[in-house]
């Protein structure tokens, strides 16, 4: 059905339309869910070839696509590439959404997870703490994303052998 949608959008809107980019993005999500990470990456990049031209380089949807590309690279274990794309996403999000937005918190969370994967627990904690602070301020103490931040910090403290702090 995504392919049918894409075909119609290409035929009626042309190759460089935000709705075509959205179709590519949606297809990438499905390929990622199927574990076909290289195909997901191809479709995210097709989306990224359109979005900056049609929406502008600093649009939140461009940041969203950078973030998703970072997710794929993280899933593939290519952590330096994941950092590159997560940082691009973070820069746009900070510039367009401000420092206290839940999407900025998500970027910090993702960076923290990559630094944990790279074996840099102090840097991971730095980013997870930034994420937690924003989430507490914007979402409140009882939000599932706040719980996720606490959980991520506990995992890193566990990695460091600081088990009491992890608890």
């Amino acid at each position: 059905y995504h392919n049918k949608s894409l075909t119609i959008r290409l035929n009626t809107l042309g190759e460089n339309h935000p709705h075509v980019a959205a179709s590519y993005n949606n297809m990438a999500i499905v390929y990622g869910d199927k574990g076909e990470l290289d195909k997901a990456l191809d479709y995210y990049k097709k989306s990224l070839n359109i979005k900056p031209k049609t929406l502008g380089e600093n649009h939140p949807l461009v940041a969203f696509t950078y973030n998703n590309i970072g997710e794929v690279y993280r899933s593939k274990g290519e952590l330096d590439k994941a950092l590159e794309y997560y940082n691009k996403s973070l820069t746009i999000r900070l510039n367009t959404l401000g420092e206290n937005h839940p999407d900025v918190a998500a970027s910090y969370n993702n960076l923290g997870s990559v630094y944990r994967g790279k074996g840099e627990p102090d840097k991971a904690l730095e980013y997870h703490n930034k994420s937690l602070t924003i989430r507490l301020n914007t979402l409140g103490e009882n939000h599932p994303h706040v719980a996720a931040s606490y959980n991520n910090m506990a995992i890193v403290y566990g990695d460091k052998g600081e088990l009491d702090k992890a608890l």
Side-chain angles (χ1 to χ4, degrees):
Y1 288 96
H2 283 308
N3 275 313
K4 288 180 180 189
S5 174
L6 175 63
T7 299
I8 294 167
R9 286 176 170 177
L10 283 168
N11 289 335
T12 59
L13 303 172
E15 292 181 7
N16 289 311
H17 193 280
H19 291 315
V20 172
S23 285
Y24 287 139
N25 189 77
N26 293 337
M27 293 171 78
I29 291 169
V30 173
Y31 281 120
D33 289 346
K34 290 178 64 174
E36 296 181 40
L37 300 179
D38 290 330
K39 279 189 177 180
L41 200 53
D42 288 342
Y43 279 93
Y44 281 132
K45 288 185 176 182
K46 286 181 181 191
S47 179
L48 190 60
N49 283 333
I50 298 168
K51 286 181 180 178
K53 289 185 264 186
T54 59
L55 302 172
E57 296 277 336
N58 291 311
H59 194 280
L61 289 176
V62 174
F64 180 71
T65 302
Y66 281 137
N67 182 76
N68 290 345
I69 292 171
E71 285 291 315
V72 173
Y73 280 122
R74 184 170 63 146
S75 295
K76 290 177 62 138
E78 296 181 38
L79 301 182
D80 289 332
K81 285 291 245 185
L83 281 177
E84 175 187 340
Y85 282 92
Y86 283 149
N87 277 312
K88 287 179 180 186
S89 179
L90 175 62
T91 299
I92 294 169
R93 287 174 169 175
L94 283 169
N95 289 335
T96 60
L97 304 173
E99 293 181 11
N100 291 307
H101 191 279
D103 287 352
V104 171
S107 286
Y108 286 140
N109 180 71
N110 293 340
L111 287 163
S113 294
V114 171
Y115 281 114
R116 177 182 178 256
K118 288 176 64 82
E120 298 183 41
D122 292 333
K123 200 140 184 148
L125 284 172
E126 174 188 337
Y127 282 103
H128 284 311
N129 195 40
K130 287 180 178 186
S131 178
L132 174 63
T133 300
I134 294 167
R135 287 174 168 174
L136 283 169
N137 289 335
T138 60
L139 303 173
E141 292 179 12
N142 293 311
H143 193 279
H145 292 314
V146 171
S149 286
Y150 283 133
N151 184 68
N152 291 338
M153 292 177 75
I155 291 169
V156 176
Y157 280 119
D159 291 346
K160 290 180 66 160
E162 296 182 36
L163 302 181
D164 288 335
K165 213 163 197 178
L167 283 174

